[in-house]
Amino acid sequence: MYKRIGICFLTFLACLIMPMNLYGAENKIILLISSQSSWNDLINSPLVSSLVSKSVVGSMNIRTNHRNREIEYYGTINAGRRWSYYEINDMGAVENGLGDLLSQSNFSTAIFSDDPDTKKIIENASGEITYEAKDFIELYSEDNVDILQKADIILIDMDLYHTVENQSFLLNFINQNSVQLYLFCPYNRENSSDLTPFLFYDSRNPQPGLVSADTTRRLGIITSLDIAPTILNQLGIDHNGMFSNGIKIHPNNNAFSVMMRDLEKIRNMNSLRSPVIKNYTLLLILLIILFSFIDRIDRLRVKKLYHSILLSVLWSPILLMIHFNNVLFMILSYFIVVSSIFYIGFQISSYKKVLQVTSGTILIILALDTLFGSPLMRNSMLGYDPVIGARFYGIGNEYAGIIIGNLYLFLYSVGDFRNFKTVSMSLQLFFILLLGMSLWGANFGGMLAALFGMLLFCTHHYMNKKKKYINYSILFALFLSGVLWITIDYYFIEEQSHLGQTISQFINGNFYYIVEVLKRKLIMNLQLIKYSMWSKFLLTALIILGLYFDTDHPIIKKVGPSFIGAMSGAVLFNDSGIVMSATCMIYLVFPYLYVYNQNE
């Protein structure tokens, strides 16, 4: 008898000291997915309308590598990175993702869906989920309730259980248990937008708020890459190999109204962006072509008017950053700026001075905006679009090209300075850092483009045929700077740039990611060449430069090689290199024609 009592006592002690996650999560996690891709539709749901006032809300970008592959939207959530359909293993499953890590840590999973693609969100590498529901009509059936009580992480397809009875049962279940609810739309079947609703509700600590994440650095917006790391953080599981550090919560009593107001602004910008850029590039093309007619006119006033228009073009990206809630104020601001530019064009005869003031001022504005978190670029028509989701923070490709173009235009204008070499190297290094550092520009492609421009600048201005050791010293110094950059980005900066993330993926053995990045860059540039108005502007500019090319032109002599290097680097190392090259070209072709006409 004592022996039996002893065995029971030892068993009881073993149960006490056994790891908690052997029994499952302390709190249940429910992933509730819906095909409702708009808050206006989702808010009509009884469940959502009951929870939204005490939930953390936002919008989730669901962008993937291939829009026509539905499986990628679900696999990306599991992998915690941009997952591609050809990475599927022999079992038809996702490897090294959320499902695998949950399984390895002894957490049980359950799915309430009859869609095999939906299963990809939480399945392990063997394609297994602990519990799979069979009843897709009544969530409150005896078998379904048994699964809900047993499982730790539960995936429910809201479309199958959309009735009022099912939603009322689920709401009661959530409030009667310790549940953390994630509600989101992983795939938009209408393809109307890549920005879909997201809601997080904690039954233990319900509070209104807004989401954010390191992947977006924007209040109220996350990506589908953020969900898996957030769940793993809550369960205390390491998630190396995933891009995100998880979702951050910002308490706000008016979260839903703030989010909806910002979302409306984003959607308005998205609807205007395409026609504005199309008309803007068309205007640039017409102004370039107009030069061939203006060049034949001898009337001074007509030429001065054209010069003023050329100067206005240089300022146009800054004008597109000016926004007011009152349209009248915005038009008035545009009028004042453009009038001032026209006055400068008519009154100041020194074209080098005009270009110096113009490019220098633009550089200062863009540098300050970047250092303070890019509030102006973020709301510009030439900025990045959260709906598309190619970029959420830092310096976009359009403004990266504008910065590089203005940099070399400014260096041309100060070419006669006594300390030109010191000033030029210092400025180039500063803007390379500004473009590339993850804390500021976070544009690795833009940084490489500027670096290529700097290499040709050094070759053009610094290379010494007699003292070759100087040339080697410069190249070695640039190489060491690159190594130092990579080391700092990978080991010491928490919010890594694309370079740091790429190196991290390579070290973790995600070679598919590297191949996918290179493939995406090539395909994107080819598509831009075929369809984008920027490619039409770039081609027109090259034709006009070819027709009026002069090797003795002061801009070509001073910074021509730098422009060529920067634009070549942009195309080679950026998935929107054509766009970056085109915006950089604005600050070569228009000043070129301006100076050409002045000299004539």
Side-chain angles (χ1 to χ4, degrees), residues 394-555:
I395 300 172
N397 291 323
E398 289 87 347
Y399 279 102
I402 290 163
I403 286 174
I404 294 169
N406 271 288
L407 172 61
Y408 290 116
L409 180 59
F410 182 74
L411 292 182
Y412 152 72
S413 67
V414 297
D416 297 330
F417 280 24
R418 183 182 300 175
N419 299 318
F420 171 69
K421 289 188 176 182
T422 304
V423 171
S424 63
M425 288 299 290
S426 300
L427 280 174
Q428 288 180 90
L429 288 172
F430 170 75
F431 280 102
I432 285 172
L433 285 171
L434 191 75
L435 285 162
M437 287 296 285
S438 61
L439 298 173
W440 300 324
N443 193 319
F444 181 55
M447 182 204 75
L448 287 178
L451 188 60
F452 260 60
M454 183 178 174
L455 284 172
L456 287 189
F457 184 89
C458 291
T459 303
H460 187 58
H461 291 279
Y462 288 84
M463 289 302 175
N464 193 318
K465 294 181 180 180
K466 295 181 180 179
K467 299 179 181 179
K468 291 187 177 181
Y469 70 89
I470 295 177
N471 305 340
Y472 296 135
S473 299
I474 292 171
L475 293 174
F476 185 66
L478 291 172
F479 173 75
L480 283 181
S481 299
V483 172
L484 180 63
W485 181 293
I486 292 171
T487 304
I488 293 172
D489 196 357
Y490 182 73
Y491 290 104
F492 300 105
I493 297 178
E494 184 178 351
E495 296 180 358
Q496 295 177 334
S497 68
H498 290 164
L499 171 63
Q501 292 172 355
T502 303
I503 293 169
S504 178
Q505 292 297 314
F506 184 81
I507 290 173
N508 286 308
N510 295 324
F511 304 115
Y512 283 115
Y513 172 78
I514 310 298
V515 174
E516 188 61 38
V517 167
L518 296 174
K519 183 180 175 183
R520 189 182 72 238
K521 290 181 185 296
L522 177 61
I523 292 173
M524 187 66 177
N525 275 305
L526 290 174
Q527 288 179 338
L528 286 170
I529 290 172
K530 187 174 182 181
Y531 300 110
S532 173
M533 284 296 292
W534 285 116
S535 63
K536 312 300 186 292
F537 163 71
L538 188 60
L539 179 62
T540 307
L542 289 171
I543 291 172
I544 290 294
L545 283 175
L547 291 173
Y548 293 91
F549 190 73
D550 180 6
T551 53
D552 293 325
H553 192 289
I555 293 180

Side-chain angles (χ1 to χ4, degrees), residues 541-581:
L542 289 171
I543 291 172
I544 290 294
L545 283 175
L547 291 173
Y548 293 91
F549 190 73
D550 180 6
T551 53
D552 293 325
H553 192 289
I555 293 180
I556 297 298
K557 289 179 71 174
K558 201 73 178 178
V559 292
S562 304
F563 271 103
I564 293 170
M567 287 189 283
S568 301
V571 174
L572 288 172
F573 298 106
N574 204 292
D575 52 5
S576 299
I578 295 297
V579 174
M580 192 184 295
S581 294

